[in-house]
Amino acid sequence: MYGKKMFNLFLGILLLCVGCGSNQLTGPEKVAVDFYKKVWVEGDFDHSGEMLKHQSDVKDLRWRVEQTATSKKKNPPILVTVSPTDSQMFSKTILIHRPSDKRDYKVRVQRTSGRWKVVKFEQNYDSRQGGYINNDAFQRYVREYPALTWKRVKNP
């Protein structure tokens, strides 16, 4: 009886600890995930455009949003982390991996006037528009940086 109560107490504390803080997104991660959702899930040009630091990037944003708008809507879980090669204080590169179709995204955000704004964004290579050739970027990061923590976002 005593052992079962202790086990239940231990299990409850463990579940609380697992649920709190371990997958909390930082400010830059939240902005990058929100941008990812607006561009590559919803195809929302207006809101994603407002998140840009430089309005000159709108042209590059437009084709990505149009590509999303013409494709089947997908919102599967994603994995998020800060790039292990980042050394900037006021700028962060957020890596996003979508395991369901092995798509990779990079969103660089910069702190400006107390707010995080998107300064650069990339996705897997697209034969019509370019992008970066990932060569399984997620697998490479996992292999090269085994201590890197990826946070799972179930419904971005």
Side-chain angles (χ1 to χ4, degrees):
M1 185 73 157
Y2 177 73
K4 186 175 181 180
K5 285 183 181 181
M6 288 304 290
F7 175 77
N8 287 339
L9 178 63
F10 174 74
L11 185 61
I13 291 171
L14 180 65
L15 288 174
L16 275 174
C17 290
V18 168
C20 62
S22 64
N23 247 5
Q24 296 292 329
L25 297 178
T26 64
E29 291 169 332
K30 286 177 186 175
V31 170
V33 168
D34 192 34
F35 184 77
Y36 160 84
K37 183 175 184 176
K38 298 297 181 202
V39 176
W40 291 292
V41 175
E42 298 173 349
D44 185 337
F45 182 76
D46 294 331
H47 287 105
S48 58
E50 291 172 3
M51 299 178 79
L52 298 174
K53 180 177 180 185
H54 307 290
Q55 289 305 304
S56 59
D57 294 331
V58 165
K59 181 181 176 187
D60 191 29
L61 177 66
R62 186 174 303 281
W63 75 265
R64 296 166 200 274
V65 169
E66 288 172 358
Q67 186 181 52
T68 299
T70 59
S71 64
K72 184 180 174 187
K73 299 285 185 215
K74 297 178 185 176
N75 194 17
I78 58 173
L79 300 174
V80 178
T81 193
V82 175
S83 173
T85 59
D86 244 356
S87 60
Q88 305 288 326
M89 283 190 66
F90 298 104
S91 178
K92 297 287 179 200
T93 300
I94 309 302
L95 307 173
I96 300 172
H97 176 68
R98 193 164 65 193
S100 65
D101 60 3
K102 296 183 170 88
R103 296 295 306 244
D104 293 306
Y105 307 88
K106 290 181 188 177
V107 179
R108 176 174 283 281
V109 295
Q110 186 176 55
R111 194 159 183 85
T112 306
S113 301
R115 299 186 69 199
W116 292 98
K117 290 288 206 173
V118 175
V119 293
K120 188 173 182 180
F121 47 95
E122 297 177 275
Q123 66 189 55
N124 292 75
Y125 184 76
D126 180 278
S127 59
R128 297 169 305 212
Q129 299 288 340
Y132 73 98
I133 299 175
N134 71 338
N135 292 327
D136 294 320
F138 173 74
Q139 294 299 327
R140 189 181 45 123
Y141 278 115
V142 168
R143 187 176 55 255
E144 292 178 11
Y145 302 96
L148 190 61
T149 302
W150 291 82
K151 298 174 184 176
R152 183 176 175 85
V153 179
K154 290 182 182 178
N155 189 13

